[in-house]
């Protein structure tokens, strides 16, 4: 199922960092930036998380919560957050159900080998749970600023 702008964002309730549970409906009334990334503590994923963290006050002023999601465990997320002083929330989707629902669990290839993995993508969801913007196949450089500019206009 491919999601489009204007679609209702698929619901989720997943283990989060710091022994929390992150449930999309808990953020009703706030905008949510939901970004999917392949793996904690890899170069691109670390840069992306640090970029979103650097803009955390700006996102808060725009009534926007930032949640990153990967298949890493919540315990790995806690280590990742502590190592890099991250302020974004991180959700753990070990089963991949939410990744499937958002269409980001895809076939990838590297060095002639194909495998299943997470496509780096970001969804901007408004306070009523409707997708307002989608960034498929994200390039990390400048991405957090692009997302912030859209969130400020919701």
């Amino acid at each position: 199922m491919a999601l489009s702008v204007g679609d209702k964002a698929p619901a989720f309730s997943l283990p989060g960092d710091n022994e929390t549970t992150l449930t999309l409906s808990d953020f009703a009334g706030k905008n949510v930036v939901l970004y999917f990334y392949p793996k904690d503590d890899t170069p691109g994923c670390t840069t992306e998380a640090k970029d979103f963290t650097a803009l955390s006050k700006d996102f808060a002023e725009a009534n926007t919560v930032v949640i990153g999601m990967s298949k890493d465990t919540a315990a790995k997320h806690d280590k990742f957050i502590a190592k890099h002083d991250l302020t974004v929330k991180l959700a753990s989707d070990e089963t991949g159900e939410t990744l499937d629902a958002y269409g980001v669990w895809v076939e990838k290839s590297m060095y002639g080998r194909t495998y299943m993995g997470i496509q780096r993508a970001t969804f901007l969801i408004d306070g009523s749970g409707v997708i307002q913007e989608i960034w498929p196949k994200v390039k990390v450089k400048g991405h957090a600023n692009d997302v912030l500019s859209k969130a400020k206009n919701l």
Side-chain angles (χ1 to χ4, degrees):
M1 168 182 93
L3 293 173
S4 302
V5 169
D7 288 349
K8 191 83 169 155
F12 62 84
S13 185
L14 294 167
D17 57 90
N18 204 20
E19 297 184 11
T20 60
T21 299
L22 294 173
T23 302
L24 183 59
S25 60
D26 287 349
F27 301 103
K30 289 185 178 279
N31 303 318
V32 174
V33 170
L34 182 59
Y35 78 94
F36 295 91
Y37 66 98
K39 194 166 178 54
D40 287 348
D41 232 1
T42 55
C45 298
T46 300
T47 298
E48 188 174 25
K50 288 168 99 174
D51 288 353
F52 276 119
T53 291
L55 297 171
S56 61
K57 285 184 180 147
D58 299 296
F59 277 108
E61 286 172 10
N63 193 35
T64 303
V65 176
V66 178
I67 302 171
M69 188 180 297
S70 75
K71 282 191 126 191
D72 289 309
T73 64
K76 280 186 181 173
H77 285 338
D78 287 342
K79 289 178 184 166
F80 185 43
I81 286 169
K83 182 176 179 179
H84 299 287
D85 289 325
L86 303 176
T87 58
V88 294
K89 298 178 182 303
L90 298 179
S92 173
D93 185 17
E94 291 183 75
T95 66
E97 285 180 38
T98 302
L99 301 173
D100 275 338
Y102 280 84
V104 299
W105 185 248
V106 299
E107 187 175 277
K108 300 171 100 176
S109 70
M110 186 185 298
Y111 308 120
R113 178 178 81 87
T114 60
Y115 61 98
M116 294 302 288
I118 297 172
Q119 175 179 294
R120 191 182 306 276
T122 302
F123 294 77
L124 178 58
I125 303 162
D126 70 15
S128 59
V130 175
I131 297 170
Q132 295 298 318
E133 190 76 35
I134 300 172
W135 290 265
K137 299 181 181 177
V138 165
K139 300 288 184 240
V140 172
K141 188 172 175 61
H143 179 60
N145 281 309
D146 291 345
V147 176
L148 177 60
S149 68
K150 294 286 186 179
K152 284 180 174 179
N153 291 320
L154 286 187

